[in-house]
Amino acid sequence: MSSQPVKIEVKDLSIHYGNTPALEEVSLEVREHEIFGIIGPANAGKTSFLKAINRMDVFTTGMNVAGDIRFGDIDVHKADNIYALRKRIGVVFPLPVGLPMTIYDNVALAPRLSGITNKGDLDVIVERCLSRAALWDEVGDRLNSLGSLLSGGQQQRLTIARALSQNPEVLMLDEFSIAVDPVTTMRIEDVLKELKSEMTIILVTNLVQQARRLADRTAFFLEGRCVEIGDTEAMFNGEVQHQKTLDYIEGKFG
Amino acid sequence: MDKPFPAIQHPNANNRGADWYVDKLMQALVFIGGISAIIFIVGIFVFITKEGLGFITDRFDFMEFFTTEYWFPSDEDDPEFGILALIAGTASVTGLAMIVAIPFALGAAIYIGEFATGKKREYLKVLVELLAAIPSVVWGFIGLSIMNPLIIKTFDVPVGLNVLNAGVILGLMAAPIMASIAEDALKAVPDSYREAAEAMGATRWQVITRVVLPAARNGLLGAVLLGVGRGFGETMAVLMATGHSVNIPGSIFDSVRALTATIAAELGETAVGSEHYGALFTIGIFLFIITFLINLTADLIVKGIKKG
């Protein structure tokens, strides 16, 4: 795995909301075709980290980002066209968001925004993405019903299908299983394992065991700092540099 | 040592205490408040129907009333009661007003709701609501004293009190309240929708046109229909700005007369119970039904969208 090239390189990333620090001097590398797990308790700065990567900081008033993020050849915080940047990064939020339009339109929205109008092309994208998100079997015969009326677990898979719809290089998931039942969670986890061959995945999770099941490498965030980064298997076998990491993955706090 | 838990007196479960009676009393009071809306609506309908009934049974001719344009209700020998020109007056002014108001109101709502932030947003909201509270007679006055000479000078027409004047005045009048309702509708769209679309790489404008406006369409439709209702019902401003002459307009520079303005201007001069009096109330019934239908349509459309 370590032979894979670096996909995202973060150097001395600090984030403040007004005067309150959310993330302090985090440096790490995410490699191609890995699932990079980020674990840590609430207020560790995990979500702020994701926001900085796809430049969602722009619309969060008072959010200040310092440091360097390199995404391929792009200096993320100097990018002139953040919309083009975001198109290369798919995001799945903690709570499922089925947009109030048909299932088909939910998945076709991003390709349409990118200028794809050919019905045949859109059909292919919609079917492929819904299949990859393990939702096609359930909704393939009712693509014209409202996406916002699906169940929570289905909406989260719809959100994943939508995130995949512009063929992103990186998929970021922020505690995707918070509002999803265990069975659906396992199905999505299987999906992520398959997707790994096609893209890079950053998985922020509040479930330590989920990181263990999925992540190749895992970073432990605590109170705005990245305590350590390591091979997931080794970390869970107790090979850690900090006692806090061990305490957290063993459930002693969190 | 902890302080002891303070003593709480629980009422006897077998007796109705003061709380029980207060509860029942308040329920009764809010029930009266709620039911009074129905009582007033029915009461108003019964009243205007009763007043117009004499005319409807004795003199009313459906074809004459709705398809002729001759309104000479006080002619002693041969009074004529055709309201087609009045309907055309109201419709033309309302139509033009909506053409003026909808872009203004939507623009204001989108700017305030989606782009303005912090203090700017607060001030703008207050200002828009202040605009909505300007009395219609003031708007009428602006129509008479500013728009009138302006239209005469700009377009080189003999009269400045016409469809254009009233339409613009009514449009400006209706825009703030429409903007306010439309902004509420935009605000009701969850931020998670915007975030989801933004994360996909949609631009601000794409987020608004592809996600926010479609999600808010019920509320926006409500805002527009409220404006239409306002246009139909507005009296004083159109009385002052239309020129108040019975006429089917051939252009926006023709003077017209509105249904509402006719009632307001003539009711005081008619003898209670006369044909003319009854005819004015029949116009009132007509306005009531139109307003009712507009609201009903809005309701059905909104419900239909929700189900679909």
Side-chain angles (χ1 to χ4, degrees):
Chain A
M1 190 49 68
S2 57
S3 58
Q4 290 286 357
V6 171
K7 188 71 192 172
I8 295 173
E9 184 183 5
V10 177
K11 230 180 222 163
D12 298 328
L13 180 67
S14 293
I15 298 172
H16 288 77
Y17 293 98
N19 289 324
T20 318
L23 207 63
E24 290 177 88
E25 292 177 5
V26 169
S27 297
L28 53 82
E29 287 171 357
V30 180
R31 295 173 194 146
E32 270 180 34
H33 300 295
E34 74 170 343
I35 297 185
F36 187 85
I38 299 177
I39 57 171
N43 292 321
K46 310 186 296 288
T47 300
S48 299
F49 177 79
L50 294 190
K51 276 189 176 176
I53 290 180
N54 81 333
R55 293 296 307 277
M56 292 296 275
D57 59 301
V58 180
F59 301 128
T60 311
T61 40
M63 181 170 169
N64 287 310
V65 181
D68 270 341
I69 301 174
R70 292 218 157 251
F71 173 61
D73 58 345
I74 307 169
D75 182 342
V76 167
H77 282 270
K78 294 197 180 98
D80 287 325
N81 188 346
I82 56 172
Y83 307 113
L85 171 76
R86 288 187 187 141
K87 283 179 181 169
R88 296 168 65 180
I89 303 174
V91 187
V92 176
F93 295 101
L95 296 178
V97 182
L99 293 173
M101 48 184 84
T102 67
I103 293 169
Y104 187 98
D105 289 342
N106 259 281
V107 185
L109 178 61
R112 278 176 176 149
L113 291 177
S114 297
I116 295 178
T117 50
N118 182 301
K119 174 87 171 113
D121 288 347
L122 289 172
D123 286 349
V124 170
I125 291 172
V126 169
E127 177 167 359
R128 180 98 27 103
C129 293
L130 285 172
S131 304
R132 291 207 291 186
L135 190 58
W136 177 260
D137 293 343
E138 288 164 53
V139 302
D141 56 350
R142 50 183 176 121
L143 293 176
N144 285 323
S145 54
L146 269 180
S148 41
L149 295 181
L150 293 174
S151 75
Q154 288 173 326
Q155 281 197 40
Q156 194 60 307
R157 278 175 285 157
L158 179 63
T159 311
I160 292 175
R162 215 171 47 210
L164 295 175
S165 65
Q166 23 195 15
N167 212 10
E169 295 159 48
V170 176
L171 181 64
M172 305 197 297
L173 300 104
D174 188 2
E175 302 189 349
F176 74 87
S177 53
I178 262 182
V180 178
D181 62 276
V183 176
T184 308
T185 301
M186 297 317 285
R187 293 191 68 177
I188 296 177
E189 289 188 7
D190 291 339
V191 168
L192 296 179
K193 282 180 211 159
E194 279 176 30
L195 282 174
K196 197 169 77 164
S197 62
E198 297 170 44
M199 60 192 68
T200 305
I201 297 173
I202 301 177
L203 174 76
V204 165
T205 178
N206 55 338
L207 303 174
V208 173
Q209 289 307 318
Q210 186 170 63
R212 181 175 201 171
R213 286 193 296 269
L214 295 175
D216 298 299
R217 293 189 307 137
T218 298
F220 173 52
F221 280 27
L222 180 66
E223 290 166 357
R225 291 185 180 275
C226 178
V227 177
E228 70 174 276
I229 304 165
D231 180 76
T232 307
E233 216 30 63
M235 196 183 264
F236 279 87
N237 286 332
E239 296 168 33
V240 296
Q241 289 147 16
H242 297 272
Q243 185 59 32
K244 288 253 183 212
T245 313
L246 198 61
D247 290 349
Y248 182 72
I249 60 182
E250 287 180 349
K252 289 186 181 155
F253 74 96
Chain B
M1 185 63 198
D2 281 348
K3 284 183 186 168
F5 197 84
I8 294 176
Q9 294 294 320
H10 292 289
N12 183 345
N14 292 318
N15 286 329
R16 289 168 178 177
D19 286 353
W20 189 89
Y21 290 103
V22 170
D23 183 57
K24 286 288 160 211
L25 179 69
M26 293 318 290
Q27 280 190 33
L29 281 177
V30 295
F31 174 75
I32 291 168
I35 205 83
S36 64
I38 299 172
I39 294 172
F40 282 128
I41 284 284
V42 173
I44 288 169
F45 190 70
V46 168
F47 170 71
I48 59 172
T49 308
K50 189 172 75 64
E51 296 299 309
L53 200 62
F55 174 78
I56 292 174
T57 49
D58 300 342
R59 176 64 177 76
F60 181 71
D61 172 355
F62 187 88
M63 291 308 283
E64 182 204 5
F65 199 67
F66 287 109
T67 63
T68 68
E69 60 198 87
Y70 306 106
W71 177 255
F72 299 113
S74 46
D75 191 303
E76 282 177 19
D77 304 322
D78 184 21
E80 290 189 84
F81 301 97
I83 64 165
L84 185 64
L86 307 181
I87 295 174
T90 290
S92 59
V93 170
T94 306
L96 182 64
M98 287 307 108
I99 293 172
V100 172
I102 289 173
F104 264 111
L106 270 186
I110 290 173
Y111 181 73
I112 296 173
E114 301 293 318
F115 289 103
T117 50
K119 280 226 150 51
K120 206 192 287 172
R121 179 185 184 140
E122 294 308 311
Y123 286 137
L124 271 173
K125 269 211 76 120
V126 170
L127 274 176
V128 165
E129 267 148 32
L130 205 68
L131 263 181
I134 291 178
S136 61
V137 67
V138 174
W139 285 108
F141 187 70
I142 292 170
L144 267 178
S145 60
I146 296 175
M147 291 286 291
N148 183 23
L150 193 70
I151 289 173
I152 293 174
K153 220 191 267 171
T154 313
F155 297 101
D156 195 24
V157 287
V159 191
L161 298 174
N162 48 30
V163 175
L164 177 65
N165 190 332
V168 170
I169 287 292
L170 194 58
L172 294 178
M173 245 179 93
I177 187 78
M178 285 166 70
S180 187
I181 305 262
E183 203 260 330
D184 288 344
L186 295 182
K187 216 190 219 162
V189 176
D191 274 343
S192 61
Y193 292 177
R194 296 183 182 85
E195 269 182 25
E198 270 162 20
M200 273 184 246
T203 63
R204 298 293 297 276
W205 191 244
Q206 286 171 332
V207 171
I208 291 164
T209 53
R210 298 299 189 93
V211 177
V212 177
L213 292 184
R217 67 191 159 196
N218 295 1
L220 297 177
L221 194 71
V224 169
L225 282 167
L226 196 91
V228 174
R230 173 105 205 231
F232 259 89
E234 174 49 36
T235 307
M236 187 49 75
V238 294
L239 174 63
M240 293 166 81
T242 50
H244 203 58
S245 71
V246 181
N247 184 19
I248 292 182
S251 86
I252 56 170
F253 297 112
D254 285 348
S255 294
V256 291
R257 185 195 278 204
L259 289 161
T260 49
T262 305
I263 300 177
E266 295 178 4
L267 193 59
E269 300 160 12
T270 57
V272 174
S274 66
E275 271 186 358
H276 187 181
Y277 179 87
L280 291 178
F281 269 93
T282 306
I283 295 178
I285 296 171
F286 177 63
L287 276 170
F288 188 94
I289 292 170
I290 291 287
T291 317
F292 181 77
L293 286 180
I294 290 174
N295 282 309
L296 191 69
T297 314
D299 224 43
L300 289 178
I301 290 172
V302 167
K303 274 188 188 141
I305 290 170
K306 268 186 192 154
K307 266 187 212 150

